[in-house]
Amino acid sequence: MKLNLVDEQAEWREQFPVNWTDDEYRSRRDFTRLLGLTSFAFVVGHLWIIGRNLTRRAKEKPPPLAIARADDVPVGGFKLFHYPTQNDPCVLVRLAQNDWVAFEQKCTHLSCPVIPQPQQGRFFCPCHEGVFDIATGEPISGPPRRPLVRVTVTAHTGQVYATGVEQGEV
Amino acid sequence: MRHEQRMVIADAVLSIVIIIVVLQLWLFTATMERYLAGDRAIIIPAALASICCFGLVFGLLFFYRRKRVR
């Protein structure tokens, strides 16, 4: 019985001969070509980033918006506002008499709203205990690796204005 | 050229191409990370480096193809 199986296999091999060495050789070559295409795809990805950066630059700067009266926010206090659209929650913090900072309220980890804690000098994200520096927005501890998006502000004649979104995107 | 010799060259080319592509993967993720963090200065040099990597890969594949034809 065993002998018959071998004979049948030999017959099958005669009818459909496969040169395994050549077959593997061809597969390897195709795989190398696929890697070449992958390499090209990475180049396209980089070009896409450049294109996206250029289109972002071309967009108009959002107009200034009065977000608070200076008297309404004490030193060490904060105020929530939306800028540049109603879908962009931000937080304004008064660090000193003439020292204002504002950031988007979205954590750069998973976009949870961060809570300003001026007394401890930090923004705190309760979702995963991420901590950001309140003056710079840089991540201090926890999962976030990117700084909070800064909103530029100026104080003028008793009013605080948001004048633009400075950097980054989440 | 003998078949075994061609296989050695194929292995060498494949190994180098894999290393370059992994390098490009790292470069792309690092660039995306920095771009999302607002660091725009890095994207042009990173793109140039990626293009150089692709040039190397293309050159290696072209070199290997010529060797195979001969």
Side-chain angles (χ1 to χ4, degrees), chain A residues 21-22 24-25 28-29 31-50 52-54 56-57 145-147 149 166-170, chain B residues 3 6-7 10-11 13-14 17-18 20-22 24-25 27-28 31-40 43-44 46-47 50-51 53-55 57 61 64-65 68:
Chain A
T21 312
D22 279 356
E24 285 173 10
Y25 183 66
R28 197 174 305 194
R29 200 167 65 222
F31 179 59
T32 312
R33 279 183 187 158
L34 179 69
L35 286 176
L37 280 176
T38 309
S39 176
F40 180 69
F42 282 129
V43 171
V44 171
H46 277 279
L47 295 179
W48 175 76
I49 293 176
I50 291 174
R52 194 173 159 79
N53 185 41
L54 291 176
R56 272 178 59 85
R57 273 189 188 173
R145 291 289 175 268
R146 299 192 293 271
V149 176
E166 198 168 76
Q167 59 174 355
E169 58 185 57
V170 181
Chain B
H3 180 74
R6 286 209 307 262
M7 292 299 281
D11 280 341
V13 168
L14 184 59
V17 167
I18 286 174
I20 293 171
V21 170
V22 169
Q24 273 189 300
L25 173 64
L27 191 64
F28 183 71
T31 306
M32 184 63 91
E33 180 78 15
R34 291 311 305 160
Y35 173 67
L36 291 176
D39 185 359
R40 309 266 163 73
I43 57 178
I44 299 287
S50 189
I51 289 169
C53 287
F54 173 66
V57 169
L61 293 180
Y64 176 62
R65 187 182 160 85
R68 194 167 56 85

Side-chain angles (χ1 to χ4, degrees), chain A residues 3 54 57 115 159-160:
Chain A
L3 190 64
L54 291 176
R57 273 189 188 173
I115 299 168
Q159 280 279 356
V160 183

Side-chain angles (χ1 to χ4, degrees), chain A residues 65-73 79-81 92 100 154-156 158-162:
Chain A
L65 178 72
I67 51 177
R69 289 184 55 185
D71 298 339
D72 292 344
V73 185
K79 184 181 180 187
L80 302 179
F81 65 99
L92 171 73
W100 301 85
T154 54
H156 184 63
Q159 280 279 356
V160 183
Y161 296 89

Side-chain angles (χ1 to χ4, degrees), chain A residues 98-150:
Chain A
N98 292 314
D99 191 6
W100 301 85
V101 288
F103 298 95
E104 276 194 3
Q105 209 190 358
K106 286 188 287 187
C107 177
T108 52
H109 177 223
L110 290 176
S111 297
C112 292
V114 293
I115 299 168
Q117 296 177 333
Q119 286 76 21
Q120 298 173 52
R122 68 181 195 172
F123 287 102
F124 179 67
C125 178
C127 290
H128 302 96
E129 300 188 346
V131 177
F132 300 87
D133 186 272
I134 203 163
T136 64
E138 291 290 331
I140 295 172
S141 68
R145 291 289 175 268
R146 299 192 293 271
L148 293 173
V149 176
R150 180 185 283 270

